[in-house]
Amino acid sequence: MGISAEAQEEEKVLTVEKRWTLSDFDIGKPLGRGKFGHVYLAREKKSNRIVALKVLFKSQLKQSQVEHQLRREVEIQSHLRHPNILHLYGYFYDQSRVYLILEYAAKGELYKELQKCKYFSERRAATYVASLARALIYLHGKHVIHRDIKPENLLIGVQGELNIADFGWSVHTFGRRQTMCGTLDYLPPEMVESVEHDASVDIWSLGVLCYEFLYGVPPFEAKEHSDTYRRIIKVDLKFPPKPVVSSAAKELIGQMLVKDSSRRLPLHKLLEHPWILQNADPSGIYRG
Ligand code: ATP
Ligand code: MG
C-alpha cells in the first residue's frame, strides 16, 4: 500500500514524542463504547489528521485492576508498524482519564460485517486470513503473541483492509506467560488446559476465525461453557453441509486446528496454501 509523502509527514507529526493534551484535538461523534470507556472520532488540530480517541476512566481501570494490562497494551501496540495492525500514535492522561490516540478504522467492526452477511465468500475469507497471517508473522517476528484474535478485535479500514486491534491480551514472549478468562471459543487446547503456550496459539485462533468466516459460527460453539471446553480439548471439528465450503478450505482449517501446537501449519506455509493462492486478493484488500 503506497503512503503519500503528505501522509508520511502527518504520521511523523503524530508519532513524534510529544506531550499531548485534549486541547490538541477537535472531538467528533462517538464511534463506540468499550468496557472501560468510550471511543470518539477526533481530529488532531495541527496535522488535520482524523484519529480515533479512546477515553478510559482511571477509576474503572483501577477497580478492575487492569492498569498493568493497559500499560502493556500501549507499550506493545505503539511499537508496531504494519498495514494490518491498528496503529497507536500515542497516549496522554489527565486526572481522571487516559486517552489513546488510535488510527481510525473507517469501516468499523468486522464482527458487524459478519453478522450482516452471516458468512463470507471464500474470496473474502481468504483475503482476510492472508492479511491476518501476514500481520501475525510480523508480530511473532517481534516476539509478540496476540492471544485474542477474534472478530470483535478486528476493525476494517477505509480501503477495506483488515486491522488487528485490541492488544489487551498480547504478551512479549520473554518471561512468564499468563492464562486468561473470558470466552472460550477461540482458545486452543493448551490454553484451555493452562499449560505453557507459545506463538502457535495465534495459528489456532486464526483457524477458528477462518472457520467462522466461512460458516458464520465458531467451530466449537456449544450452549454450555463446559461443552465448548470439551469440544476444544477433543478438537471436535465438524464441517456442516451448509454453507457449501470447498475441500481446500476445510483442509487448511484442519491443518491449523491441530491439538499438538508444534504441528500446526506455520504461517508462512499458510500463505502458500492453494486455497489462499487461489482465493486471496493479492492486494490484501477485499473490495466486495
Ligand atoms: P471491550 O474490552 O469491551 O472490547 P474496549 O475497551 O476494548 O472494549 P474497543 O473495543 O477498543 O473498546 O472500542 C469500542 C468500540 O469503539 C469498538 O467496538 C469499535 O466499534 C469502536 N472503535 C474502537 N476503536 C476504533 C477505531 N480505531 N476506529 C474506529 N472505531 C473504533
Ligand atoms: Mg474491544
Side-chain angles (χ1 to χ4, degrees), residues 31-35 39 52 54 86 102-105 109 155 166:
L31 293 171
R33 322 171 62 134
K35 241 178 267 135
V39 183
K54 189 162 164 178
L86 198 77
L102 290 162
E103 176 183 346
Y104 171 49
E109 295 172 50
L155 296 175
D166 208 334

Side-chain angles (χ1 to χ4, degrees), residues 84 121-134 162 206 210 213-214 246 248-249 252 267 269-288:
N84 300 108
S121 66
E122 302 212 8
R123 301 200 75 78
R124 188 171 190 177
T127 302
Y128 288 160
V129 169
S131 304
L132 291 170
R134 279 187 230 105
L162 205 56
L206 188 56
C210 185
F213 286 166
L214 294 167
S246 69
L252 178 60
L267 294 168
K269 289 233 173 95
L270 178 152
L271 290 175
E272 293 161 9
H273 190 279
W275 183 69
I276 295 290
L277 294 177
Q278 278 157 30
N279 291 286
D281 192 308
S283 72
I285 293 170
Y286 174 75
R287 292 192 176 77

Side-chain angles (χ1 to χ4, degrees), residues 16-48:
V16 142
E17 289 289 323
K18 171 184 154 69
R19 282 179 178 250
W20 296 104
T21 68
L22 198 51
S23 62
D24 292 316
F25 299 88
D26 289 320
I27 307 297
K29 65 168 183 182
L31 293 171
R33 322 171 62 134
K35 241 178 267 135
F36 301 105
H38 301 217
V39 183
Y40 298 93
L41 192 64
R43 190 167 50 100
E44 199 277 319
K45 290 176 184 169
K46 261 211 198 87
S47 67
N48 255 332

